Amino acid sequence: MEKQKTSGAAHFAIVIMAAGKGTRLKSKRAKVLHEIAGRPLLAHVIKAAQQIVPAEHIYVIVGHQAEAVRAAVAPLGVKFVLQAEQRGTGHAIMCAREQVASYQDILVLSGDVPLLRPETIAQLRDFHLSKKAAMTILTAAPPDPFGYGRVIRAGGSDRVKAIVEQKALTKSQQKEREINSGIYAFATKPLFANIDRLKTDNVHHELYLTDMAALLVKNKAVVVALKAADSAEVLGANTLAELSSLDATMRARKCADLMAAGVSIYRPETCIIDNDVEIGADTILEPFVQILGRTRIGSDCRIRSYTVISDSQIADNVLFRPGCIIDQSTIAAGAQLGPYAHVRPGSEIGEGAHVGNFVETKKTRMGSGAKANHLSYLGDSDVGAGVNVGAGTITCNYDGVNKHMTVIEENAFIGSDSTLVAPVRIGKGAYVAAGSTITEDVPADALALGRSRQTTKEGWSRARREERAKAKAGK
Ligand code: UD1
Ligand code: CA
């Protein structure tokens, strides 16, 4: 999936600025670690970048909470640049000089602009190369430009004169609608020949990368702008409210992709589906469903309302009735679950098996066609094919210190309200009488009764009634 869509990629590096604190979020967590659609902001940007160049040519600038940021995205195989003190976006790029100056060109992305599509990055790269520019700025015209730097063009041409930050805008510049997305392409030679000329003469006393535009123009270099077709792609997240609107956009995009691939989603705005989720065609999602993490769902499934599935593998034709919770488990074709089934980590539900109302499984394998339809706890168990687990059956898997296994061999029948005290094995085809407490293994084809025998006292109740009536009359 993550293959390169590029020619001559080795000439390009991608630098992602992610060292800033994100003061405006009012959160102790670094901004780029805040999540939308189930992944940190920075991971979205890296995933898009990986569609353009391989991970070894992606450099992430870290600083604020550097160790946590590194740890969160290191598995993606990118390289890191440390910006120990965060003195602005221009300073961030200065810190990367040694590692990226040998590339002909670099693309600079922002760790807090996560909706950017790989296609748009490729467009920026191609436009930059075709204009032989020193700096190319990706711009947009969102409905509300407030807060962004504005791009001042030279008389409506491709050429740019300067980028002016919101706080430095003159009255007439405040009318400018074209914003700086914070995403750029640079030819490294003119960039690093001029970057030391950046000054801190601004309200934050920082070195702004945006000032490179005017600086390069002054040195007769070509600075151009490319306007993104969809301004939603370059929206940043400076506040938690903005973050939640990016999350909504990202999730709507995911639902739209799934629907385009044949998945029915009745009320997509109520469903929460993480980015890495895969769902087969002709599966139906009812309102208020959540599908999270690395979940894969096959075709022709029906997932009824209020079901939450995380990090699980679901085959074809599976029915989830309302309110199921499924975590880190595998469910084979044709299984039926719920309503209100709780399938906890390490469960394997076999083909056509049933896990019914208020049934909880943990580290339990249910063989094909096995059924536990009502009110059970099956923990650390191996339930064979065709087994019927009666209502209210409980595996006593925990002795207060250790967990023990319960094995129920195929086609055994466990009567309702039985307790199976592990470790214990019920043989093939055996029968456990309802209400039994089973503490010893049951051989194949046997009947086990683990309860005291019923005694019936004929006429006892009538005799008691009559005695009471007599006592009352005597008073
Ligand atoms: C920046 C641009 C602005 C643009 C906007 C788009 C500047 C001066 N302004 O503003 O023109 O409209 O992005 O979203 O660049 N970072 C570092 N090191 C630092 C400072 C920041 O790595 O020393 C990183 C941040 O983590 C962030 C990115 O650079 O990912 C942008 O920084 P931020 O402070 O969010 O800039 P904006 O104010 O949004
Ligand atoms: Ca920002």
Side-chain angles (χ1 to χ4, degrees), residues 24 31 112 238:
R24 288 162 281 184
K31 185 206 282 186
D112 69 340
N238 292 320

Side-chain angles (χ1 to χ4, degrees), residues 290-311:
Q290 297 191 27
I291 318 277
L292 309 173
R294 307 198 143 269
T295 296
R296 270 200 1 240
I297 297 177
S299 302
D300 300 303
C301 294
R302 188 173 189 111
I303 305 174
R304 306 207 49 200
S305 292
Y306 313 112
T307 288
V308 180
I309 304 176
S310 337
D311 297 312

Side-chain angles (χ1 to χ4, degrees), residues 46-160:
I46 293 174
K47 293 252 176 188
Q50 279 176 322
Q51 307 275 316
I52 304 298
V53 304
E56 69 210 83
H57 298 298
I58 297 175
Y59 298 82
V60 177
I61 303 179
V62 295
H64 182 71
Q65 293 180 5
E67 278 325 298
V69 175
R70 239 184 246 259
V73 299
L76 298 173
V78 294
K79 294 191 166 131
F80 295 97
V81 174
L82 182 66
Q83 184 194 15
E85 238 186 296
Q86 292 83 58
R87 294 166 50 207
T89 45
H91 178 248
I93 300 302
M94 282 178 192
C95 294
R97 183 196 314 233
E98 207 172 296
Q99 278 163 278
V100 304
S102 61
Y103 292 90
Q104 249 167 46
D105 295 88
I106 59 173
L107 290 159
V108 175
L109 312 184
S110 254
D112 69 340
V113 180
L115 300 183
L116 187 67
R117 290 181 192 270
E119 293 78 2
T120 308
I121 305 175
Q123 258 172 28
L124 173 68
R125 175 200 60 203
D126 296 343
F127 186 78
H128 172 73
L129 291 177
S130 74
K131 295 288 170 185
K132 299 192 169 57
M135 177 181 188
T136 304
I137 304 154
L138 184 66
T139 70
D144 179 11
F146 185 84
Y148 291 92
R150 261 19 95 71
V151 174
I152 313 298
R153 296 204 188 217
S157 72
D158 284 339
R159 294 295 192 101
V160 168

Side-chain angles (χ1 to χ4, degrees), residues 254 258 272-279 291-297 309:
K254 177 72 186 178
L258 288 169
I272 295 193
I273 304 174
D274 282 353
N275 255 43
D276 293 332
V277 167
E278 291 170 35
I279 305 180
I291 318 277
L292 309 173
R294 307 198 143 269
T295 296
R296 270 200 1 240
I297 297 177
I309 304 176

Side-chain angles (χ1 to χ4, degrees), residues 16-22 24 31-32 61-63 83 85-93 109-113 147-150 163-166 179-184 204 206-211 234-238:
I16 303 175
M17 299 186 291
K21 182 168 181 217
R24 288 162 281 184
K31 185 206 282 186
V32 294
I61 303 179
V62 295
Q83 184 194 15
E85 238 186 296
Q86 292 83 58
R87 294 166 50 207
T89 45
H91 178 248
I93 300 302
L109 312 184
S110 254
D112 69 340
V113 180
Y148 291 92
R150 261 19 95 71
I163 303 173
V164 182
E165 290 304 291
Q166 174 72 43
I179 63 127
N180 167 29
S181 69
I183 292 156
Y184 320 89
H204 291 118
E206 288 186 346
L207 295 162
Y208 285 172
L209 186 57
T210 46
D211 289 344
V234 301
L235 294 178
N238 292 320

Side-chain angles (χ1 to χ4, degrees), residues 13 52 121 125 131 220 226 344 381 439 471:
I52 304 298
I121 305 175
R125 175 200 60 203
K131 295 288 170 185
K220 310 263 178 292
L226 171 69
R344 291 170 49 203
S381 322
T439 53

